[in-house]
Amino acid sequence: MTQITNKQLGQLRLETISDGVGSTTTNFIESARGAMLRDVEGKEYIDFAGGIGVMNIGHCHPKVVAAIQEQAEKLTHTCFMVNPYESAVKLAEKLCRIAPGDSPKKTAFLNCGAEAVENAVKIARYYTKRPAIIVFENGYHGRTLLTMTMTSKVKPYKFGFGPFAPEIYRMPFGDVAGPEKLHDFFLKQVNPEAVAAVVAEPVQGEGGFIAPPPGYFQELVKICRDNGILFVADEIQSGMGRTGKMFAIEHWGVEPDLITVAKSLAAGMPLAAVVGRAEIMDAVHAWGLGGTYGGNPVACAAALAVLEVFEEENMLAKSVALGEKLKARFEKWQKQFDIIGEIRGLGAMLGLELVKGENREPAADEAKQLTSYCLEKGLILLSCGSYGNIIRVLAPFVITDEQLEKGLGIVEEGLAKIA
Ligand SMILES: Cc1ncc(COP(=O)(O)O)c(C=O)c1O
């Protein structure tokens, strides 16, 4: 049998998949392991994208694969709302235990990140009996009607898709004066008594790997508490060890009222959760939350295996080590290449800002050239940011030193070419 090619599959894709769905690369991936991908023609790639932050513990971890296989042989679906099963409650127990803060917690399972954010908003509105939600510039929360409204960047996420959901208010993020500005915001934009929740990514992902300064969240959360507003941490990209702690908000030592988790939670199986203070999670009437597939048994079994792997293989330490290696290299590049502006992010959620000209303007074209060069050389590298000029690394923590070195070497060559 002749092997199918990227070109043939590309043609099929062109004929069958909506043009509204994009792909960064044109290579069809057949298999993956750890931090490596292999396409249908046998070409290998080092993966610095991890399926956009989903493969923190690596592709096809043997323990996760075994858990999926074992669960799939026993039971793949009942719908938790019809017949409950063990993997969901065992996983909820673990998530409630690892969620930041001492208050008793409860969990609700959904399928994807956007759905988790939607449900966090539903829960916050129900509990507070208030309509308004505050989000941030450069924030990203998904592509459903409500979450694209909450998302900041217009193109490609919002353009042409309005009208948007009501009662979403946006403020600046990440400058030390941010919480101070909230007082002003309450005067000019929305009365705090109407606000159900502030929803923030502890480290902004799609918006450009922006970490706010020390003290920011402590102050923000204090203002929320003083005004009866819930604080929701969207940990969908920053969570599951990415910043060196299980949840990025732990760096600021505050307890969110609700957190949203997805992506690396189940290492590629579609699973998301809202985990939050039990009193708030329990406020909603029975059947008010749920869905056909939320907390699917196979996805929950995968997530249980992921959490075991975190403990057994010291994934947080691996994440910290990866973050340190990346930072050291990025700092070297910053001195070497004029095109590099800020080093962004936290831990192993690290990005490079590319800038050009006297005014250090965003160098989006150069970011595209860099990611294309890397792809050609066998490295999957993503950009992000409102201006598309941030190069971000979401590599699996299990990447070997050799793979990391090779990948960074390719980026370095690419930087030399575009600089
Ligand atoms: C912070 C954040 N929230 C929500 C989402 C939406 O998740 P999903 O694509 O699974 O709906 C994402 C996805 O990138 C994200 O990074």
Side-chain angles (χ1 to χ4, degrees), residues 51-54 111-117 139-144 147 151 157 200-207 233-238 260-263 271-272 349 392:
I52 319 190
V54 172
N111 301 291
C112 70
E115 212 190 338
V117 174
Y140 181 87
H141 301 287
R143 291 169 177 270
T144 58
T147 58
T151 289
Y157 304 124
E201 296 158 85
V203 178
Q204 291 186 321
E206 302 303 304
D234 180 347
E235 292 271 8
I236 286 161
Q237 192 160 156
S238 60
T260 54
V261 199
K263 289 198 186 276
L271 183 67
M349 186 171 180
R392 59 169 155 177

Side-chain angles (χ1 to χ4, degrees), residues 190-401:
V190 59
N191 191 293
E193 285 173 39
V195 180
V198 167
V199 182
E201 296 158 85
V203 178
Q204 291 186 321
E206 302 303 304
F209 276 32
I210 304 166
Y216 181 83
F217 277 116
Q218 287 91 328
E219 208 179 320
L220 183 66
V221 170
K222 183 177 179 303
I223 295 168
C224 288
R225 301 264 142 88
D226 289 349
N227 288 282
I229 297 169
L230 300 186
F231 173 62
V232 181
D234 180 347
E235 292 271 8
I236 286 161
Q237 192 160 156
S238 60
M240 299 307 292
R242 181 43 63 182
T243 66
K245 298 197 183 282
M246 200 60 176
F247 298 104
I249 197 69
E250 292 171 44
H251 290 280
W252 287 267
V254 295
E255 178 176 353
D257 296 297
L258 302 173
I259 65 171
T260 54
V261 199
K263 289 198 186 276
S264 276
L265 172 61
M269 298 299 289
L271 183 67
V274 182
V275 188
R277 281 172 43 211
E279 179 203 353
I280 300 168
M281 295 294 292
D282 281 341
V284 179
H285 60 266
W287 304 98
L289 307 174
T292 303
Y293 296 114
N296 168 273
V298 184
C300 287
L304 281 165
V306 167
L307 292 176
E308 276 177 32
V309 169
F310 260 87
E311 282 184 21
E312 290 166 6
E313 298 181 25
N314 230 335
M315 282 294 160
L316 289 182
K318 285 196 169 75
S319 167
V320 171
L322 174 61
E324 284 167 0
K325 286 177 204 159
L326 290 172
K327 188 140 196 212
R329 195 59 167 266
F330 284 14
E331 282 172 352
K332 174 180 158 285
W333 291 344
Q334 201 179 31
K335 292 194 197 103
Q336 199 176 344
F337 300 110
D338 197 42
I339 196 165
I340 294 176
E342 290 175 10
I343 295 169
R344 297 267 189 88
L346 196 58
M349 186 171 180
L350 218 59
L352 277 178
E353 184 198 27
L354 301 189
V355 292
K356 63 180 169 190
E358 266 177 27
N359 298 329
R360 313 291 277 159
E361 276 157 21
D365 289 343
E366 287 76 1
K368 268 201 205 97
Q369 287 163 21
L370 180 62
T371 53
S372 304
Y373 175 83
C374 291
L375 179 63
E376 203 181 293
K377 298 287 172 190
L379 173 71
I380 311 291
L381 182 69
L382 297 177
S383 59
C384 66
S386 293
Y387 305 103
N389 66 323
I390 313 296
I391 295 298
R392 59 169 155 177
V393 179
L394 289 166
F397 308 152
V398 296
I399 190 165
T400 65
D401 282 345

